[in-house]
């Protein structure tokens, strides 16, 4: 699914970027990682949500590993 129409960024590439660069914490940083900038801004809430989901998944995985 296309998340950022202006820059043709899809959710798969966002998730891949976040998996390889877990330090990314903002939509602006995510755009920079893709070599672009936000244009219209409509994607910012969706990108923020994907970043939050990625952080949560990482935290859950860490908790599961710590419990083992």
């Amino acid at each position: 699914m296309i998340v950022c129409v202006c820059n043709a960024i899809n959710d798969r590439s966002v998730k891949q970027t976040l998996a390889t660069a877990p330090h990314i914490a903002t939509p602006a940083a995510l755009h920079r990682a893709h070599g672009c900038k936000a244009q219209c801004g409509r994607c910012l809430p969706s990108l923020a949500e994907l970043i939050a989901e990625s952080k949560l998944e990482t935290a859950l995985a860490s908790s599961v590993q710590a419990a083992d």
Side-chain angles (χ1 to χ4, degrees):
M1 170 178 71
I2 297 291
V3 178
C4 178
V5 175
C6 297
N7 293 300
I9 301 172
N10 63 29
D11 63 330
R12 186 181 305 163
S13 68
V14 168
K15 290 175 184 177
Q16 188 175 33
T17 300
L18 292 171
T20 59
H23 63 280
I24 292 175
T26 65
L30 191 54
H31 275 103
R32 283 192 299 274
H34 281 96
C36 59
K37 294 192 274 187
Q39 302 295 315
C40 73
R42 291 178 126 180
C43 62
L44 299 179
S46 297
L47 292 175
E49 186 176 324
L50 287 169
I51 291 168
E53 287 174 6
S54 175
K55 299 287 183 199
L56 181 60
E57 288 173 7
T58 301
L60 288 173
S62 295
S63 295
V64 169
Q65 286 179 348
D68 288 338

